[in-house]
Amino acid sequence: MIRTQNGQVFCDWRRKYVRLTPEEWVRQNFLHRLVDHFGYPMNLIAVEVPLQNKRADAIVYTKDLTPLVLIEFKAETVPLTQKTLDQAVVYNRQLNVPYLILHNGPQTVFAHVTNNEIAFLPSIQEWNQLSN
């Protein structure tokens, strides 16, 4: 359940209220969907993860805390473009995760990364499919 008050939204992952921007609304809704509908463990998702001079919007980890999925969020009004994918790829150079998700509300891109090649998948994989 997403809780809002006075222009803020409670982030269950950061355990505090944060400014309710359009991108934050997309992030909160999508992360709850990953947990509620795709079985991703809430405690294996980190938000606003520091990278060198950047921050990853969210990272999903394996049970042994290896980065598994890098998620890049945009507001609903911001289309997912090659620039968005490039941003995720740059972040992934530091993490080397096998999966990328780009999401802006109406659009979701799910991709598998191997040997610096990106294969786009038709839909988000459930947690039990990814973690095996």
Side-chain angles (χ1 to χ4, degrees), residues 64-78:
D64 67 359
L65 301 181
T66 302
L68 179 66
V69 182
L70 170 68
I71 308 173
E72 179 61 32
F73 295 105
K74 297 297 180 193
E76 288 185 357
T77 57
V78 178

Side-chain angles (χ1 to χ4, degrees), residues 116-129:
N116 292 322
E117 292 195 17
I118 298 173
F120 296 99
L121 303 173
S123 62
I124 296 171
Q125 301 293 302
E126 292 193 17
W127 169 254
N128 59 10
Q129 294 172 305

Side-chain angles (χ1 to χ4, degrees), residues 73-98:
F73 295 105
K74 297 297 180 193
E76 288 185 357
T77 57
V78 178
L80 300 180
T81 63
Q82 183 65 46
K83 183 178 176 181
T84 311
L85 179 61
D86 293 345
Q87 180 181 2
V89 168
V90 166
Y91 292 172
N92 197 33
R93 287 188 186 135
Q94 295 177 48
L95 297 167
N96 199 29
V97 300

Side-chain angles (χ1 to χ4, degrees), residues 13-122:
W13 290 268
R14 290 174 275 185
R15 295 185 175 95
K16 66 180 183 178
Y17 279 91
V18 297
R19 199 172 114 222
L20 181 54
T21 63
E23 183 175 311
E24 190 64 42
W25 180 251
V26 168
R27 177 190 348 236
Q28 295 301 317
N29 278 281
F30 187 76
L31 291 179
H32 280 278
R33 193 168 131 220
L34 283 180
V35 171
D36 296 340
H37 299 286
F38 293 96
Y40 286 58
M42 188 171 189
N43 64 333
L44 294 179
I45 300 172
V47 172
E48 292 290 323
V49 179
L51 302 173
Q52 292 176 340
N53 303 318
K54 308 273 183 199
R55 286 185 186 268
D57 289 338
I59 297 174
V60 180
Y61 294 88
T62 63
K63 292 176 186 172
D64 67 359
L65 301 181
T66 302
L68 179 66
V69 182
L70 170 68
I71 308 173
E72 179 61 32
F73 295 105
K74 297 297 180 193
E76 288 185 357
T77 57
V78 178
L80 300 180
T81 63
Q82 183 65 46
K83 183 178 176 181
T84 311
L85 179 61
D86 293 345
Q87 180 181 2
V89 168
V90 166
Y91 292 172
N92 197 33
R93 287 188 186 135
Q94 295 177 48
L95 297 167
N96 199 29
V97 300
Y99 296 99
L100 301 175
I101 296 176
L102 312 176
H103 183 72
N104 68 355
Q107 293 177 283
T108 303
V109 173
F110 187 70
H112 186 240
V113 182
T114 53
N115 302 325
N116 292 322
E117 292 195 17
I118 298 173
F120 296 99
L121 303 173

